[in-house]
Amino acid sequence: MNKTYSSLLLLAVLLCTRAPAQMLPEPLTDGPTANSDEGRPLTYYLPDLEYDPNIPTPEEFLGWQIGDWHISHDLQQAYMRALAASSDRITLEVIGHTYEQRPLLNLIYTTPENHGRLEELREMHVNWSSPNGGMSDGDLADVPGVLYQGYSIHGNEASGGNAAVMAAYYLAAAPMSEVGELLTNNIIVFDPCYNPDGFNRFASWANTHKNKNMTADGQDREYSEAYPRGRSNHYWFDLNRDWLPVQHPESQARIAQFHRWKPNILTDHHEMGTDATFFFMPGESTRVHPMTAPVNQELTARIGEYHSAALDRIGSLYYSGEGYDDFYYGKGSTYPDIFGTVGILFEQASSRGHLQESENGILTFPFTIRNQVTTALSTYEALENLHDDLLSYQREFNLEGVTSDGYVIDADGDPGRSRELADILARHGLPVQHGTSEEGEAYYVPKTPFSEAAFEPILEFEDSLFYDVSTFSLPMAFNLPYRQVSGGTPTDMRWTSYQMGEATAPFDRSRAEYAYFIPSNDYYSVRAIYELQDAGVRVKVSDQSFSINDGATEFGRGTAMVPVYGQEMSAEELHRIVTEVEDETGIDILTTNSGTVDAGGLMLGSRSAYQTLRKPEIALLIEGSTSSLDAGETWHLLDQRFGIPITKLPIDEVGSSDLSRYNTIIMPDGYYNRLDESVATALKEWMGRDKVFITVERAGTWAAKNGLANLTERKTSDPDSAITQRPYEKAERDRGGQVLGGSIYRTVADLTHPLLFGMKREEIPVFRSGTLLYEPAENIYATPVRYADEPLISGYSPRGFAQKAAGSAAVIVSGSRGGRTISFASNPNFRGFWYGTNRLFMNAIMFGTTINGSTVE
Ligand SMILES: [Zn+2]
């Protein structure tokens, strides 16, 4: 930017000193309250400056000082609105809403003069690093730097969101002599709370349990939050793993804003264990994703110098260069790295509540906040001083990433599933093309650093330790075949630019005289069946494939059929319901006017071919020793995506609950070694005809021990068991190398089995973490999915594990008291984006009862 800064400064000072009184918000209380007893001045957190008296301090607004209490999201947003109303350095935007309808706020900070041409500056900034942006290297001085600064994506890591209040005040109220240069040459997109639902949940917990005479005893209830805890969002998802899958409204709004602004730095303020100190990136140099440019890590280290200097000034202990990795692009501090942005992770030792004993002495909540405020401010210093280098790097990274290559993703005959992947790719700023031909549909995206990282499998690693998953191929998660092509979209299809959420084909809206068919190929076919059932429609299914109209229309196994005859509504009413379901699900429901299908095929009245489906009434076991992440994924899948209501049943209350109202019970992964006997007793009593019990991972082992499933764990002996001694210094690394944090494995499926209805290819990639394996069932029909002979496709696995997994069972069906127990050896619903395998899970819910009794273990 040009340096007419001193005249701007004068103008801005004049503007800031004349804020009219009527613009000031009303304080929320009449002043300090009885509990405002900490006595910490503003200068505990912020440099001692002449702050603008027309901007309300947090204490003036709240009636208590930051750190006295945990600020709720409601108060945090009220304060942000008050700041925006009193400062001409801020534009406030509501970028979205959480599931609980809390607004996701962004405060855009820059000089009043820059606000006057904000859109022009934004476009200039984006064009700077765009291959088609039309800018030249000489424009550098005019291009504003952009910082995206965000807090407390883990809601119970609250020092970040509380520090945000102080940092937001600082940017609004600090004198222009202090922040003039920063705000003239840069734009700060300030995101005070990445996870409002979890943040509010935790604030409520911590405040509810606060003592007037505070105890630092870590055993106080204040420090042991109840299930599901405030880390996660409304559906118990870890939002700091959702930057890549973007399945939640918080991430969707944030990623859209990220691509709107293409920041140079993105920060992410967290907390870690109480006995730690303060961490800032860079992390472990051997645990950086290979596609992240070395310059990124160099800049990260240079930014880090500003943090260490600032923490030195207040005497806080800190560390860097160890402990955390920069590998999974689904995390906030790593996602930016594949777009030429520098992502920065901060981790502060957590006081959890207000005061806690630690190895480093008594840790107070205000102290944790102060470290976060201090590094928020040192980030401004880094941005101001490294402006040119950050912008040059971003431009180089993106211009160098341009190729004429691309990826074609086959839709696999499944409009619903492939559309969902296209939406994710579009959300990441990729220009998606939709292709059609007589043979089917496909999608095309150009090859960019991001798409390459999100598509390609990875099998070689510099390090064997991972803080999270070691692979994340999106097409594999969706079980969609893809290939790399050169020179743009292939010519054998017609291509159009894809818009998010686009419907695919025009529907046949005619009224059936005889029956309707819901094709099984679409991901959402189970949703369509459920909606029909919920409207009181009787739905049948067949495990046979057939065709009508002399082979012109083919139907796969699992095609559901709705006869017009025998329903409790008129044919007209049924037609109305069917049309509504088509609109809801995007599925083309087809019709027939005859009960006979093509020669040699079945008849629609056939008693052996067709079974009536029962409407699932579902209880999901939660709480206690269940995994809240796994339970939350199931809740989200059914509630949000499939529109199926469920009861969240606390597992410790199963013994005293009336289970008869459910025909389907889901037990997610968890630690079940000490589960009360009454749970097994009640479930065995409940089990019977038309009942389906679904277990995931260790729930299957528990079910087998308690007579609810018939399966055996495969014993996995240690390949290193012959070694009798190793050097002490290798111990930590050896142990880490034995962890399977998250890899993709190849399984082979029996497509004739009801659990595979709608699936077209025998090979199915599954997500796997942990080393639990099941032996295949003795009944030769009871293992519909098993691990392939060479099963590892992508990611790190401990030495020898992949061979051990070969041939083991991925899904086992046991018969128990006339009901069916369906056991998944690994999580089919991982992080909400494994659309490929959650089809099997939905099939288990909808079609589990139709599995022939002679084919179960
Ligand atoms: Zn965290």
Side-chain angles (χ1 to χ4, degrees):
M1 312 208 80
N2 57 46
K3 305 289 177 190
T4 53
Y5 152 67
S6 47
S7 54
L8 283 178
L9 175 75
L10 184 66
L11 173 69
V13 168
L14 289 172
L15 285 170
C16 285
T17 48
R18 60 100 199 102
Q22 69 271 20
M23 273 181 75
L24 284 179
E26 288 288 307
L28 287 194
T29 69
D30 298 331
T33 62
N35 280 306
S36 179
D37 53 5
E38 304 287 315
R40 283 189 174 77
L42 186 73
T43 49
Y44 174 76
Y45 296 105
L46 293 176
D48 195 358
L49 303 169
E50 289 281 311
Y51 291 98
D52 182 347
N54 293 310
I55 307 291
T57 67
E59 190 169 15
E60 282 164 3
F61 183 79
L62 298 165
W64 41 271
Q65 182 60 287
I66 283 297
D68 292 354
W69 295 91
H70 282 251
I71 196 167
S72 67
H73 182 259
D74 300 314
L75 283 179
Q76 196 212 42
Q77 70 146 305
Y79 181 67
M80 295 299 157
R81 288 179 191 278
L83 278 183
S86 54
S87 166
D88 51 10
R89 299 176 188 172
I90 303 172
T91 303
L92 184 138
E93 285 181 32
V94 176
I95 61 167
H97 288 85
T98 69
Y99 289 111
E100 294 173 19
Q101 296 303 310
R102 297 178 198 282
L104 296 157
L105 300 185
N106 272 186
L107 284 76
I108 315 291
Y109 281 93
T110 192
T111 58
E113 131 91 354
N114 284 348
H115 272 301
R117 52 187 202 110
L118 193 62
E119 184 56 18
E120 181 197 331
L121 289 171
R122 186 193 68 77
E123 281 175 13
M124 188 197 295
H125 173 83
V126 169
N127 286 339
W128 167 253
S129 60
S130 161
N132 314 313
M135 306 271 290
S136 70
D137 291 350
D139 297 329
L140 175 60
D142 295 327
V143 182
V146 175
L147 161 67
Y148 196 114
Q149 194 171 42
Y151 301 86
S152 293
I153 196 163
H154 293 143
N156 60 3
E157 298 173 2
S159 55
N162 284 269
V165 175
M166 277 295 166
Y169 169 75
Y170 170 85
L171 287 175
M176 284 302 264
S177 57
E178 188 74 12
V179 294
E181 183 117 14
L182 170 75
L183 295 179
T184 303
N185 298 329
N186 301 284
I187 297 165
I188 297 166
V189 182
F190 191 93
D191 194 330
C193 190
Y194 280 148
N195 174 13
D197 293 349
F199 187 76
N200 208 71
R201 194 188 310 145
F202 181 67
S204 183
W205 176 272
N207 291 335
T208 300
H209 295 92
K210 184 186 174 186
N211 297 306
K212 183 168 193 304
N213 301 292
M214 285 199 282
T215 171
D217 179 0
Q219 300 189 90
D220 189 281
R221 192 172 193 237
E222 180 176 352
Y223 310 108
S224 63
E225 226 189 323
Y227 189 105
R229 296 174 284 277
R231 177 183 174 88
S232 51
N233 77 345
H234 178 81
Y235 283 99
W236 311 349
F237 274 69
D238 185 338
L239 287 178
N240 200 35
R241 303 295 181 268
D242 194 47
W243 294 68
L244 181 78
V246 277
Q247 293 301 301
H248 298 283
E250 298 88 349
S251 320
Q252 289 165 3
R254 194 190 324 116
I255 297 294
Q257 191 73 329
F258 177 91
H259 288 288
R260 207 170 111 69
W261 283 99
K262 310 270 187 214
N264 299 97
I265 304 177
L266 182 143
T267 60
D268 188 19
H269 289 261
H270 287 250
E271 286 183 0
M272 57 183 159
T274 305
D275 291 326
T277 58
F278 189 89
F279 166 87
F280 52 85
M281 277 193 156
E284 298 269 356
S285 61
T286 55
R287 288 152 63 183
V288 177
H289 196 284
M291 292 204 55
T292 293
V295 186
N296 170 295
Q297 295 294 297
E298 285 159 33
L299 283 165
T300 303
R302 286 174 65 195
I303 293 168
E305 289 166 15
Y306 291 88
H307 305 319
S308 45
L311 292 165
D312 283 345
R313 289 197 288 271
I314 60 168
S316 272
L317 291 173
Y318 57 84
Y319 69 99
S320 189
E322 62 175 78
Y324 290 92
D325 68 20
D326 212 355
F327 186 87
Y328 171 49
Y329 290 122
K331 288 199 298 181
S333 50
T334 306
Y335 178 79
D337 297 342
I338 197 66
F339 295 99
T341 305
V342 179
I344 302 288
L345 172 70
F346 297 111
E347 295 274 355
Q348 163 64 47
S350 182
S351 66
R352 209 50 80 189
H354 293 83
L355 188 72
Q356 204 175 153
E357 290 159 4
S358 82
E359 274 180 15
N360 298 304
I362 301 283
L363 183 61
T364 70
F365 184 42
F367 176 81
T368 67
I369 297 169
R370 185 170 65 154
N371 289 335
Q372 304 272 27
V373 175
T374 301
T375 47
L377 268 57
S378 52
T379 302
Y380 305 145
E381 250 183 289
L383 174 70
E384 194 178 326
N385 290 303
L386 302 178
H387 171 277
D388 290 3
D389 290 345
L390 286 162
L391 279 150
S392 299
Y393 161 64
Q394 184 179 37
R395 178 170 168 84
E396 257 164 54
F397 182 86
N398 286 293
L399 300 198
E400 276 173 14
V402 177
T403 69
S404 64
D405 295 343
Y407 294 103
V408 173
I409 308 136
D410 189 282
D412 202 26
D414 184 344
R417 179 162 43 106
S418 52
R419 200 166 56 227
E420 294 284 0
L421 177 57
D423 283 356
I424 292 177
L425 298 171
R427 286 186 194 286
H428 291 297
L430 289 169
V432 182
Q433 298 279 316
H434 181 215
T436 48
S437 73
E438 298 309 307
E439 278 72 52
E441 283 181 279
Y443 292 92
Y444 172 90
V445 288
K447 184 172 175 180
T448 65
F450 172 79
S451 60
E452 186 179 346
F455 277 50
E456 297 295 352
I458 178 165
L459 284 162
E460 281 178 24
F461 300 93
E462 197 178 337
D463 202 326
S464 58
L465 293 181
F466 294 91
Y467 187 80
D468 198 80
V469 297
S470 58
T471 180
F472 38 81
S473 165
L474 287 173
M476 289 183 188
F478 277 76
N479 187 21
L480 292 172
Y482 69 97
R483 64 183 203 278
Q484 195 180 315
V485 295
S486 291
T489 48
T491 52
D492 57 350
M493 292 187 122
R494 295 175 299 278
W495 296 92
T496 54
S497 165
Y498 175 75
Q499 299 306 316
M500 227 186 286
E502 207 173 84
T504 41
F507 293 163
D508 163 26
R509 298 282 190 176
S510 59
R511 198 185 105 186
E513 298 302 323
Y514 197 87
Y516 295 92
F517 292 121
I518 301 120
S520 60
N521 55 299
D522 197 286
Y523 177 83
Y524 286 109
S525 59
V526 171
R527 179 174 179 140
I529 295 171
Y530 183 84
E531 285 189 6
L532 289 163
Q533 291 175 323
D534 199 41
V537 175
R538 189 171 288 119
V539 186
K540 296 177 166 224
V541 78
S542 169
D543 60 7
Q544 300 184 27
S545 53
F546 58 92
S547 63
I548 58 173
N549 308 331
D550 295 326
T553 315
E554 292 182 35
F555 293 97
R557 299 172 199 278
T559 299
M561 190 261 293
V562 174
V564 175
Y565 169 81
Q567 301 289 357
E568 277 152 36
M569 68 278 301
S570 65
E572 289 78 23
E573 175 65 2
L574 180 62
H575 181 231
R576 190 190 63 75
I577 294 169
V578 166
T579 308
E580 245 177 58
V581 171
E582 283 185 315
D583 289 340
E584 284 284 316
T585 60
I587 293 178
D588 193 3
I589 296 177
L590 303 176
T591 59
T592 184
N593 295 328
S594 164
T596 306
V597 299
D598 286 351
L602 68 167
M603 291 186 183
L604 300 186
S606 163
R607 227 180 123 187
S608 63
Y610 273 97
Q611 296 190 54
T612 300
L613 293 168
R614 55 100 179 87
K615 178 183 161 195
E617 303 288 351
I618 303 173
L620 168 67
L621 305 186
I622 61 150
E623 230 178 74
S625 44
T626 64
S627 152
S628 65
L629 287 172
D630 287 42
E633 285 157 3
T634 309
W635 177 25
H636 174 261
L637 177 75
L638 296 170
D639 198 26
Q640 283 288 327
R641 213 177 282 160
F642 282 84
I644 303 179
I646 60 158
T647 297
K648 301 187 295 300
L649 188 65
I651 195 164
D652 295 328
E653 286 163 34
V654 163
S656 56
S657 300
D658 171 16
L659 300 183
S660 66
R661 52 189 298 155
Y662 316 114
N663 54 32
T664 308
I665 294 181
I666 300 167
M667 186 166 175
D669 187 32
Y671 304 89
Y672 299 123
N673 291 341
R674 292 164 68 184
L675 198 53
D676 195 83
E677 269 178 34
S678 63
V679 178
T681 308
L683 285 172
K684 277 192 277 193
E685 225 162 83
W686 164 80
M687 199 57 175
R689 222 178 92 79
D690 278 344
K691 301 286 168 49
V692 174
F693 182 47
I694 299 173
T695 67
V696 178
E697 295 185 63
R698 287 165 298 180
T701 309
W702 175 87
K705 279 188 193 137
N706 288 279
L708 281 152
N710 193 356
L711 53 85
T712 351
E713 268 187 40
R714 176 173 285 189
K715 288 285 163 255
T716 53
S717 66
D718 179 3
D720 298 328
S721 58
I723 299 170
T724 54
Q725 197 172 13
R726 287 271 288 163
Y728 173 83
E729 65 170 2
K730 305 271 189 205
E732 202 178 329
R733 199 143 283 264
D734 284 356
R735 224 185 349 266
Q738 286 156 15
V739 173
L740 201 168
S743 294
I744 304 174
Y745 272 63
R746 181 186 288 122
T747 61
V748 181
D750 168 9
L751 296 182
T752 71
H753 195 280
L755 291 183
L756 282 303
F757 281 168
M759 309 208 44
K760 285 178 69 178
R761 285 166 306 108
E762 283 183 348
E763 192 179 304
I764 299 173
V766 302
F767 175 80
R768 133 163 307 278
S769 67
T771 52
L772 173 72
L773 295 172
Y774 297 145
E775 293 293 353
E778 276 178 29
N779 184 312
I780 54 175
Y781 308 104
T783 311
V785 190
R786 65 180 69 207
Y787 284 82
D789 289 343
E790 289 190 13
L792 180 62
I793 315 175
S794 185
Y796 173 82
S797 280
R799 199 160 64 82
F801 180 77
Q803 292 94 300
K804 266 179 276 169
S808 71
V811 183
I812 287 190
V813 186
S814 338
S816 175
R817 294 158 192 259
R820 302 284 173 266
T821 296
I822 299 166
S823 302
F824 290 85
S826 67
N827 180 4
N829 305 321
F830 183 63
R831 290 186 183 161
F833 78 111
W834 275 76
Y835 283 70
T837 47
N838 54 42
R839 178 67 201 263
L840 272 71
F841 189 80
M842 294 313 301
N843 282 352
I845 290 172
M846 187 54 83
F847 308 120
T849 55
T850 73
I851 300 169
N852 181 334
S854 71
T855 68
V856 299
E857 178 80 356

